Amino acid sequence: MIQTLAFYLFAGLVIASAVMVILSRNPVHSVLWLILAFFNAAGLMVLVGAEFIAMLLVIVYVGAVAVLFLFVVMMLDIDFAAMRAGFVKNFPLGIVVALILLAELGLGIGAYGAGGLELGASDEMAPVRDDVSNIASIGALLYDDYIILFEVAGIILLVAMIGAIVLTYREPKPGARGRQDIGKQISRRPEEATVLKNPEYGKGIEL
Amino acid sequence: MTEFFEGLGMSYEWAWTVATLVGILAISLIVMFSVAMVIYVDRKVLGAIMLRRGPNVVGPFGLLQSFADGLKVFLQETIIPSAANKGIFLLAPIITFTVALAAWAVIPFADGVVLADINVGLLYILAISSLGVYGVVMSGWASNSKYPFFSAMRAAAQMISYEVSIGFILVCVVLWAGSFNMTDIVMAQKGHGLGIVNGFFFNPLLFPIFVVFFICALAETARAPFDLTEAESELVAGYQTEYSSMSFALFWLGEYANILLMCSLCTLLFVGGWLPPIEWAPLYYVPGIVWFLLKTFGFFLVFSWIWATVPRYRYDQLMRLGWKVFLPMSLIFVALISGYLMATGHFAK
C-alpha cells in the first residue's frame, strides 16, 4: 500500500518534472526541474531495493553534475527575445527530430506488445544473492568478474581528463604576475614586509 | 516503537508509518532545541575569548537568548526584493533547512536509537550533504544582486572541492570498518586501540585522516577560517544579504544543524560514537547517548574556538588547500590504508 503510493508519487514527479524541464522558459528553472527528476529517480531506485545505485545517483548527478550545469546556466546572460526568434527558424528541424523519436517510441512499444526479444540466457550469468548487501555484490562483480573492463573504463576516463587539461591549459605569458609561490608567502615575516618610521613633525617620509 | 503502535490495533504498515513520523518529529525537535542551545554556547564562547560577556540578559545566564531571537525574527516582515526570482528566492532557505535536518535520519544517538538503520548510511549522509549547496546557489542566483551571486559562486566551488576529499576520507574509514552502516562503523571501533580505547582516533594510520576530515568539515559547513561565502568584509553577508525574518532564520538554523551534523559525524566515525572513551566496565553504566552528546559538544567547542581564533583564508588558498593538499593526501591514505589492511589480512576475517 505505502510502497504503491510511494511508487506513484516518485514516478509521477519524475515525469512531471521531466516535462517541466522542457516547458519552462527560464533555463535555470529547467536545471532545477532536472535536479528534481534525478532525485525522484533515486527514490524509485530505493523502491526496487537498489539503494547503492540510488545514493550514487544523488551523489554523482545531483551533487556534482547538476551543480556544474547550474553553475554554467546561472552565469549565462539570457536574451529571451533572441531565443524566441530562434524558435521559428529551428522549428522544421525540431519537428523532424520529434517525429523520428515518436516513430521509434511507437516501434518499441509495438515490438514489446508483439512479445519482445528473446535473449539467450548466459551460462555465466552472475547469480542473484540475497544474503549480501547491494554494495558487496556490486563490488564482487566489478572487481572480480569484470576487473579488466573496469580498469579499461578507468583508463578511458584518465585519458579524457588529461585531454581536458591539455585543451584548457594556457602557458602563462612571460612576465605575467599570475603564479603565486605559496611557500614564499607563508614564510614571509612581518620584519621583511613592514618598516616602522618615526617622522619628525612637518616633514614627510621617504620609503 | 512500531510494536507500540501495532499494539494499538494498527496494521504493520500503518504502525510503521506512524512510528516513523513520530521519530522524525522527535529528532527534528531535539535537533532544533540543540541548535538553539548551541547558538547560545557559540556566542558565549566567542564572548569569553574576546573578553566580553556574551548574551546574559534573557533568562538565567542569558540561556533563553536564542528563543528570544527566534521569536523576534518570527514577528518580522519577510521582504522580497522586487528584482528577485520569487519562487526560487523563497524555496532556497526551505531547501537549506530541510536538507540539514534530513541527514539526521541515519545518525545513531545510542545503540539502536536511530530512525533509519540502513546499510548505506554513510553514503546517504554524503548524498544529502551534497544537496546543501543548492540552497546557497539558488538563494544567490534568485536574489538578483551582486554580492549574493559572488557568494553562491564561491559556495558551489568550495563545497564541491571539499566533498571530494571527504569522500576519500570516508572510504578509509569504511575500509577499516567494513561497512557503510553507521552502527557497524561505531561497533568496529570498540576496543580499537589495543583493546583499551574506543575509536579510530587512536589509530596512527587514521589519525592524520581525522585531522583532514575535521578541516574539511569546517570548509564544508563554511565556518571560519573558510567562511568565504559570507565574508562580511567582502560580501556584506554573502548569500543571506537579501534575506530577512523567517527566511533568514531558516538559513541560520540550517547552518547550525549542519555544523552539529558534522560534529556528530566526527564523533561517530573517529571517536567511537556512543561508546565510552575507555574500555572499562563501569563507564558502560553511563547511558550511550550521554557519551554521544558529550563528544559532539566537545567537537562543537573546538568549532567555536577555531571561529574565534583564526583569520579567514584567501579564496585561492582555500582552493589550493582542497585540491593540491587534501585531495592528494587523502588519495595516498586510501592506498596506504587499503595496502596495510591487505597485508595484515584484515579482509580475510
Side-chain angles (χ1 to χ4, degrees):
Chain A
M1 171 65 185
I2 293 167
Q3 279 90 335
T4 321
L5 273 180
F7 171 77
Y8 282 113
L9 180 73
F10 287 139
L13 276 172
V14 170
I15 294 168
S17 43
V19 169
M20 286 310 290
V21 171
I22 37 178
L23 284 189
S24 43
R25 289 281 165 89
N26 192 329
V28 173
H29 292 183
S30 285
V31 176
L32 292 174
W33 284 115
L34 185 68
I35 292 161
L36 189 66
F38 282 151
F39 200 72
N40 284 298
L44 285 176
M45 296 282 183
V46 171
L47 278 183
V48 295
E51 69 266 12
F52 182 65
I53 304 284
M55 292 304 144
L56 279 197
L57 193 68
V58 176
I59 292 172
V60 175
Y61 281 94
V62 182
V65 175
V67 174
L68 292 182
F69 274 14
L70 199 61
F71 206 93
V72 172
V73 171
M74 262 166 48
M75 287 195 280
L76 291 177
D77 188 19
I78 307 148
D79 187 354
F80 288 104
M83 274 171 73
R84 295 216 184 91
F87 180 75
V88 182
K89 202 179 73 188
N90 294 324
F91 189 69
L93 186 67
I95 281 290
V96 170
V97 172
L99 282 179
I100 292 173
L101 282 178
L102 185 70
E104 284 184 347
L105 210 62
L107 213 62
I109 292 173
Y112 181 76
L117 204 62
E118 279 292 324
L119 289 172
S122 160
D123 302 335
E124 291 168 69
M125 189 105 108
V128 180
R129 291 175 59 185
D130 290 332
D131 56 325
V132 289
S133 72
N134 247 279
I135 306 169
S137 45
I138 288 178
L141 270 183
L142 216 54
Y143 302 119
D144 285 343
D145 299 350
Y146 299 110
I147 180 70
I148 303 288
L149 291 175
F150 180 75
E151 302 257 304
V152 168
I155 296 288
I156 292 172
L157 281 177
L158 183 70
V159 170
M161 203 169 92
I162 294 171
I165 293 170
V166 168
L167 281 177
T168 51
Y169 184 74
R170 293 275 178 278
E171 200 63 50
K173 286 189 196 114
R177 280 182 62 209
R179 286 301 143 100
Q180 301 198 15
D181 186 351
I182 291 287
K184 214 166 121 191
Q185 292 179 358
I186 293 172
S187 60
R188 200 162 96 141
R189 295 292 117 198
E191 302 86 64
E192 301 160 28
T194 52
V195 207
L196 214 57
K197 292 259 182 171
N198 195 6
E200 278 181 48
Y201 178 75
K203 290 181 181 167
I205 51 164
E206 262 179 60
L207 282 171
Chain B
M1 201 149 53
T2 311
E3 292 82 40
F4 172 75
F5 286 107
E6 267 187 305
L8 294 180
M10 295 183 192
S11 72
Y12 175 77
E13 274 186 344
W14 287 108
W16 181 85
T17 311
V18 174
T20 309
L21 285 177
V22 170
I24 290 171
L25 198 65
I27 288 179
S28 319
L29 284 178
I30 292 168
V31 171
M32 274 355 312
F33 181 75
S34 318
V35 162
M37 291 332 285
V38 133
I39 290 175
Y40 164 78
V41 170
D42 210 16
R43 295 174 64 180
K44 226 32 183 177
V45 169
L46 205 61
I49 291 176
M50 293 171 174
L51 300 179
R52 298 184 283 111
R53 279 169 193 271
N56 65 349
V57 178
V58 191
F61 308 108
L63 271 171
L64 300 176
Q65 182 67 49
S66 300
F67 300 101
D69 287 347
L71 192 67
K72 178 193 77 180
V73 138
F74 191 70
L75 295 173
Q76 282 171 345
E77 181 194 353
T78 305
I79 298 165
I80 300 173
S82 55
N85 195 313
K86 203 168 171 187
I88 298 181
F89 184 82
L90 289 176
L91 196 63
I94 298 173
I95 286 185
T96 304
F97 184 71
T98 317
V99 162
L101 281 183
W104 286 89
V106 295
I107 297 285
F109 293 91
D111 200 2
V113 186
V114 51
L115 184 69
D117 199 15
I118 54 178
N119 56 17
V120 285
L122 206 51
L123 283 175
Y124 172 81
I125 290 183
L126 204 61
I128 292 294
S129 69
S130 69
L131 295 180
V133 66
Y134 284 111
V136 179
V137 170
M138 283 162 72
S139 66
W141 181 79
S143 295
N144 208 349
S145 152
K146 285 185 197 71
Y147 294 119
F149 192 69
F150 275 133
S151 167
M153 295 282 104
R154 285 182 175 189
Q158 178 176 343
M159 286 187 178
I160 291 183
S161 312
Y162 281 84
E163 234 152 54
V164 182
S165 305
I166 285 190
F168 280 117
I169 292 163
L170 296 186
V171 167
C172 293
V173 175
V174 165
L175 277 172
W176 214 297
S179 172
F180 277 98
N181 180 296
M182 299 303 283
T183 310
D184 289 350
I185 290 174
V186 172
M187 290 323 277
Q189 299 175 44
K190 196 171 158 130
H192 187 71
L194 305 168
I196 306 166
V197 280
N198 295 324
F200 287 146
F201 180 82
F202 304 101
N203 185 325
L205 265 179
L206 284 169
F207 180 74
I209 279 293
F210 162 73
V211 175
V212 175
F213 179 77
F214 191 79
I215 299 172
C216 286
L218 287 174
E220 187 70 14
T221 52
R223 278 286 279 201
F226 306 107
D227 54 346
L228 284 128
T229 53
E230 43 195 287
E232 64 273 6
S233 49
E234 308 159 31
L235 297 181
V236 191
Y239 58 94
Q240 305 164 347
T241 305
E242 305 291 345
Y243 282 86
S244 57
S245 83
M246 268 325 268
S247 52
F248 172 75
L250 285 182
F251 273 125
W252 194 240
L253 293 173
E255 197 175 299
Y256 271 89
N258 262 332
I259 289 167
L260 277 183
L261 180 81
M262 278 299 172
C263 292
S264 61
L265 265 189
C266 285
T267 310
L268 290 167
L269 298 180
F270 290 100
V271 290
W274 64 82
L275 298 169
I278 300 168
E279 242 346 55
W280 186 44
L283 288 180
Y284 277 95
Y285 288 111
V286 180
I289 192 158
V290 174
W291 289 120
F292 176 79
L293 291 179
L294 272 179
K295 288 170 180 176
T296 307
F297 185 63
F299 278 117
F300 183 78
L301 285 184
V302 180
F303 264 69
S304 43
W305 176 26
I306 291 173
W307 187 27
T309 320
V310 290
R312 186 176 299 129
Y313 261 60
R314 218 170 52 206
Y315 193 68
D316 62 309
Q317 290 172 333
L318 173 94
M319 282 295 138
R320 181 185 158 273
L321 188 71
W323 289 107
K324 291 190 178 168
V325 181
F326 286 167
L327 186 60
M329 194 174 158
S330 50
L331 263 174
I332 288 169
F333 267 92
V334 169
L336 207 64
I337 286 173
S338 48
Y340 172 80
L341 291 176
M342 278 309 267
T344 52
H346 181 85
F347 298 119
K349 278 185 274 182

